[in-house]
């Protein structure tokens, strides 16, 4: 791929991001090998369980790359939780804005540190990924998990109860922010909500 980020930038950024994530409490056993150069991940067999995969990429909706990386990981993992799956592995998909190599390296370091911390909190190991360059930054994760059973959505006859684990309206607030039509308090609350993992809520709801 002609748009790949230089291997020296990638290697240095990964080492730094792993160090930052571990200092913030990430599990060292879930960290990737900083020298990982493969595009593919070989994962252990899962027996009779179903394998569930998803991928999500988001644009630079916040200016802080650490928070952006964290939000992106949380966002991707949520697809697996919604499918009643437990996430295990992730691949990163990062597009960096064209810049000096030292600036790119620091940006990638912060993006990955935020992502690694969120993945670690969910018990997920990053096993590889892909980087490229373009005019704007984006980051996403391909996530893989397993599940024992397919969730059975209730019917109207079941008299279902709708539980909101987070407030609705995230997209509305962030769209309004882009047009300077909301206040800082709303934006801060929305960012805090987006950065909060859904694993705890998924684990509780899975019992029901």
């Amino acid at each position: 791929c002609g748009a790949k980020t230089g291997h020296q930038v990638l290697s240095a950024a990964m080492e730094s991001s792993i160090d930052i994530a571990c200092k913030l409490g990430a599990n060292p056993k879930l960290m990737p090998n900083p020298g990982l150069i493969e595009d593919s991940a070989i994962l252990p067999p899962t027996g009779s369980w179903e394998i569930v995969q998803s991928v999500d990429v988001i644009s630079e909706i916040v200016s802080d790359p650490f928070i952006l990386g964290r939000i992106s990981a949380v966002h991707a993992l949520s697809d697996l939780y919604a499918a009643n799956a437990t996430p295990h592995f992730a691949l990163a998909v990062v597009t960096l804005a064209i810049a000096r190599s030292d600036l790119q390296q620091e940006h990638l370091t912060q993006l990955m540190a935020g992502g690694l911390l969120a993945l670690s909190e969910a018990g997920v190991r990053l096993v590889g990924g892909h980087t490229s360059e373009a005019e704007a930054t984006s980051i996403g994760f391909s996530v893989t998990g397993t599940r024992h059973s397919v969730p059975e959505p209730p019917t109207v006859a079941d008299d279902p109860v709708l539980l909101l684990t987070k407030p609705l309206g995230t997209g509305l607030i962030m769209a309004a922010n882009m047009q300077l039509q909301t206040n800082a308090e709303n934006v801060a609350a929305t960012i805090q909500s987006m950065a909060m993992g859904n694993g705890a809520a998924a684990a509780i709801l899975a019992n029901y």
Side-chain angles (χ1 to χ4, degrees):
C1 175
K4 277 187 177 179
T5 303
H7 71 278
Q8 292 177 329
V9 169
L10 178 60
S11 178
M14 286 304 300
E15 284 192 35
S16 297
S17 64
I18 291 169
D19 183 57
I20 291 171
C22 288
K23 287 180 178 177
L24 291 173
N27 185 347
K29 293 181 180 179
L30 294 175
M31 296 298 100
N33 175 359
L36 189 67
I37 58 173
E38 299 294 334
D39 286 332
S40 301
I42 309 302
L43 310 179
T46 58
S48 60
W49 293 3
E50 287 185 313
I51 295 177
V52 182
Q53 291 184 310
S54 184
V55 61
D56 256 308
V57 178
I58 62 174
S59 58
E60 200 168 11
I61 58 173
V62 295
S63 59
D64 185 327
F66 182 91
I67 297 299
L68 180 64
R70 180 178 179 85
I71 289 173
S72 178
V74 168
H75 189 61
L77 291 171
S78 295
D79 285 352
L80 264 59
Y81 294 135
N84 199 35
T86 300
H88 301 297
F89 303 102
L91 295 166
V93 184
V94 184
T95 300
L96 295 172
I98 297 172
R100 291 197 330 245
S101 61
D102 58 330
L103 296 177
Q104 269 195 343
Q105 180 177 315
E106 178 59 24
H107 204 66
L108 180 58
T109 294
Q110 295 299 321
L111 285 168
M112 292 310 302
L116 286 172
L117 186 59
L119 292 174
S120 174
E121 291 171 355
V124 175
R125 184 181 181 192
L126 184 74
V127 291
H130 181 82
T131 57
S132 61
E133 291 183 337
E135 293 184 1
T137 296
S138 66
I139 178 171
F141 292 89
S142 171
V143 288
T144 301
T146 56
R147 70 180 180 189
H148 286 292
S149 60
V150 179
E152 298 180 7
T155 65
V156 175
D158 296 326
D159 192 22
V161 175
L162 180 64
L163 300 177
L164 300 182
T165 58
K166 289 185 178 182
L168 296 179
T170 296
L172 182 64
I173 295 295
M174 297 311 293
N177 182 50
M178 292 175 64
Q179 298 181 36
L180 304 179
Q181 295 296 314
T182 187
N183 58 46
E185 184 176 292
N186 287 338
V187 174
T190 301
I191 291 173
Q192 183 179 26
S193 177
M194 288 191 294
M196 182 187 304
N198 290 301
I204 293 171
L205 294 173
N207 296 322
Y208 303 94

